[in-house]
Amino acid sequence: MDEAEKLRWPFSDGSVTDLLDARSLHGSPDIKKKVQFHSSLVQKLALEKEMEGHAGCVNAIAWNSSGSLLVSGSDDTRINIWNYNNRELVHDIDTGHSANIFCTKFVPETCDEVVVSGAGDAEVRVFNMSRLSGRRPREISMEPTAVYQCHSRRVKKLAVEVGNPNVVWSASEDGTLRQHDFRECSSCPRAGSANQECRNVLLDLRCGAKKSLADLPKHPLALKSCDISSVCPHQILVGGSDAFARLYDRRMLPPLSSCQTKRKPPTCVKMFCPLHLADSKKTYLHLTHVAFSPNGKEVLLSYSGEHVYLFDVDPDNMSSVRYTADYVREQLFVPPFHKVPTKEHAKEKKPSVNTTSRNLSRVDMCKKFMQVAARSLETSKNLMRGIEACSEVLESMKPDIDDDMRHEFLCTRAALYLKRKWKNDVYMAIRDCNRARKIDATSYQAHLHMAEALLQLGRLKEASEYAEVANSLLPPHCQLSEQVDDFKQRVASAELEKNRTDQNGNSKADTNGKLRSLSDILFRPDVGGSSQEGREDSDYDDEMELDYETSVSGDESRENDQGVFRGSLSFRFHQREDQTNEHTDENGLIESAQTDDSAFQSDVAIDMKQRYVAHCNVGTDIKQASFLGEQGEFIASGSDDGRWFIWEKRTGRLIKMLAGDGAVVNCIQSHPFDCAVATSGIDNTIKLWTPDANATSMVAGPELDVLSAIENNQRKLCRNRQIVLPFEFLERFRMHEFSEGFECAQS
């Protein structure tokens, strides 16, 4: 390993001693926030305590406002309250829920004596600890002070407002976000009851999901997560069974309504989705967690079968872009040089660099980073390190580099992405190529890398066009023209293979009685009203038959090998003759789902500004991605491989990997003020992580090969989803929640 490879990458927060010196010399009122999750402490995180007390998977954890208590909810339908000072169990509450608890919170401004829970039985329950008299026993069986049964599907997430002790919000897979005011009522009838008339529906999204940005919102949006901004409490963020996170302003929403009245989904203030996912139409793609940053200026989204993405709430032109459905393809595939209008040839404007005050040592460091990236590209080894070297310069050293250096790093990173070929790396390469071409529209490297990206996507005609333009940008008799010639041969081979496939008919399917992919069936929305409504509101107007042979072993709630269904599945679809677009409402009335397409205006979405790659999020739909600390300078997420990962927010650089569970890590919550993190998952325990001077800088746990662990996760993400049975499917089978039309034979 050469000196460049041994380069120690600095962090933007400097050293702790620098912060202490700055405080003593100039004063620093926010020194505690900066030190709380300082990079030197994050790198030394290690397992301090494994807290035992549950008898099932721990699906939810949350701190109180002061950080003195931690509350947890589990599959055992109990709520546990833990003391942070001594790490001991204080209370073990039997909630009375009849299904897994998925969310629990302390209600603010109640002296931490009011806790609320939401569960798979579609109920929200409130418990007031102050009703206990005398000595409080550790194990408690107490009646809830309020029970809200109005949801018709599982309650997946709760939200509370800082300073508001009277209201809690619940997001459910029934497509509604409900507002429960303790001052108005302490109970409501179960969903479907004849006397159910509670008016607490804040967001009715039972007809709010869509497959792509261009689609009309006409499918049920099964809500998986929600969050309220701590800085702007009127802002509420929701995410569910499609690719789009929606930001609403509660002040602009219509009055609360009854679930008996089905309303059109309200207009959201902002919508967030990575550009390359906005038109994917993948039925399995959905959000598992959404979160505001501590300052409320950013949002974090975690996708099932995808990565974690960061967005600006109010983006500028430098960080991320706004786009509509009409411009998705244009943003991804900018025409090559000879087709770009003359007015777009100008270089992207960039503030000039003050060469007299430039830090020469940082410029020298940029050159060393380029050596690392170039060596990775040349040897096809340590590609992840090469990409992170480029990102370090592009994201952290913008003032110290000029346009030429920025163009070089963008092209190099694009080439590294195309060699690594992890999920969606090709789209990241396209982004870098487009940014490089804004700097230099006649860039040979950017055009050739764009051609390679298009070839990987199967867009052979466009790939050839970009290759021709790249060739035309080279001087005569240039040796680099050999690269273009080799590329043209690869395109020709791909075209021959495609033609051969078309001639054999392998890509053509019979329309009558055709088999669809398992993912099309498993991940289709199924949230609203009756089973008939769920089927007719789905993405396909087909009749469906299911042949199923299986045997079950292990705990159904576990995601590892011992808990999966073993057997075979066969699905067959038959086209329906009647293609009318009707559905049954919750009162049993048939109403036409006519939509005025002429009045539909294309939604505007905000593109991502950073991506975080290393983990695997496929097995569960409650996996969180969280900001760490009061400043939120680091991002953390659990993974299906039993680990959890920490990235630097600005650059996306992975800085820590920890072994946190025997199967899956789902929940990650950082302490409000200390450098401490609580995690939970499939195991029955909660793990508390704090800095340890003896901890390794990168890996905590038995796994030493970081790259192998990450590559294994990427293979899981890219694996054909017809093979992997997701947790959601297992739960529906166990709970007998399949839509009408399924026929199941078990052996």
Side-chain angles (χ1 to χ4, degrees), residues 70-245:
L70 179 73
V71 62
S72 60
S74 167
D75 283 357
D76 60 12
T77 70
R78 306 183 77 88
I79 290 177
N80 284 356
I81 298 178
W82 312 81
N83 187 300
Y84 173 64
N85 293 328
N86 58 22
R87 277 64 164 165
E88 296 294 332
L89 179 62
V90 180
H91 296 303
D92 181 358
I93 304 174
D94 184 2
T95 62
H97 281 294
S98 59
N100 317 34
I101 294 177
F102 288 114
C103 44
T104 183
K105 291 276 190 181
F106 285 102
V107 178
E109 308 298 331
T110 61
C111 299
D112 303 321
E113 292 191 329
V114 178
V115 295
V116 60
S117 62
D121 57 8
E123 293 184 359
V124 175
R125 293 183 168 231
V126 183
F127 300 89
N128 194 329
M129 308 295 292
S130 64
R131 294 194 172 189
L132 298 173
S133 58
R135 182 177 177 273
R136 300 179 181 178
R138 177 168 160 175
E139 295 186 6
I140 306 170
S141 180
M142 59 184 302
E143 292 296 322
T145 58
V147 178
Y148 303 102
Q149 301 175 300
C150 47
H151 281 298
S152 60
R153 295 276 180 171
R154 300 186 298 181
V155 177
K156 300 305 291 289
K157 192 66 69 174
L158 296 168
V160 294
E161 179 184 353
V162 175
N164 187 346
N166 302 308
V167 182
V168 65
W169 291 263
S170 59
S172 168
E173 290 177 334
D174 64 9
T176 65
L177 180 83
R178 297 174 185 257
Q179 177 175 303
H180 310 285
D181 193 326
F182 306 150
R183 297 165 297 185
E184 294 183 356
C185 64
S186 60
S187 65
C188 59
R190 187 174 297 277
S193 301
N195 59 339
Q196 186 185 27
E197 204 40 57
C198 48
R199 303 184 64 84
N200 59 8
V201 177
L202 180 65
L203 289 176
D204 186 350
L205 299 173
R206 290 174 289 178
C207 193
K210 46 205 228 167
K211 297 290 290 297
S212 70
L213 190 62
D215 286 349
L216 292 170
K218 56 185 178 181
H219 306 293
L221 180 64
L223 295 180
K224 305 288 185 180
S225 184
C226 65
D227 194 24
I228 290 179
S229 171
S230 59
V231 178
C232 303
H234 57 274
Q235 293 182 344
I236 188 164
L237 183 70
V238 298
S241 56
D242 65 11
F244 306 96

Side-chain angles (χ1 to χ4, degrees), residues 614-677:
H615 76 306
C616 178
N617 180 7
V618 175
T620 59
D621 64 350
I622 56 174
K623 199 168 281 89
Q624 298 178 355
S626 304
F627 294 92
L628 298 184
E630 290 189 87
Q631 290 202 314
E633 292 302 317
F634 296 93
I635 304 297
S637 174
S639 176
D640 288 351
D641 62 351
R643 300 176 180 87
W644 62 288
F645 297 82
I646 303 177
W647 299 270
E648 187 182 27
K649 183 184 74 174
R650 180 186 298 184
T651 64
R653 187 201 335 175
L654 179 68
I655 65 170
K656 193 73 174 176
M657 180 180 80
L658 305 102
D661 195 277
V664 179
V665 176
N666 282 322
C667 304
I668 298 177
Q669 292 292 313
S670 65
H671 190 276
F673 307 113
D674 289 350
C675 185
V677 182

Side-chain angles (χ1 to χ4, degrees), residues 694-729:
N694 298 321
T696 56
S697 60
M698 180 57 157
V699 183
E703 179 61 64
L704 298 178
D705 191 346
V706 177
L707 186 59
S708 294
I710 297 173
E711 288 178 339
N712 188 46
N713 282 337
Q714 298 311 302
R715 284 192 292 269
K716 290 179 182 177
L717 280 180
C718 296
R719 186 179 300 164
N720 193 328
R721 297 182 67 94
Q722 296 182 37
I723 300 174
V724 181
L725 286 177
F727 175 73
E728 188 76 7
F729 176 76

Side-chain angles (χ1 to χ4, degrees), residues 518 520-526 531 534-535 538 542-548 569-573 729 732-733 736-745:
L518 180 58
D520 286 341
I521 300 164
L522 298 184
F523 294 91
R524 49 185 250 163
D526 178 23
S531 59
R535 178 161 62 87
S538 69
D542 305 315
E543 293 294 347
M544 178 170 46
E545 295 178 358
L546 166 67
D547 295 325
Y548 189 85
L569 287 170
S570 176
F571 294 84
R572 184 166 295 274
F573 280 75
F729 176 76
R732 290 189 180 186
F733 181 80
H736 305 290
E737 290 185 0
F738 282 115
S739 299
E740 180 181 341
F742 278 86
E743 297 178 1
C744 180

Side-chain angles (χ1 to χ4, degrees), residues 413-429:
R413 188 170 67 174
L416 288 166
Y417 278 135
L418 294 171
K419 272 199 172 185
R420 190 175 69 172
K421 296 182 181 180
W422 288 358
K423 185 158 191 174
N424 285 336
D425 274 356
V426 62
Y427 291 108
M428 298 302 104

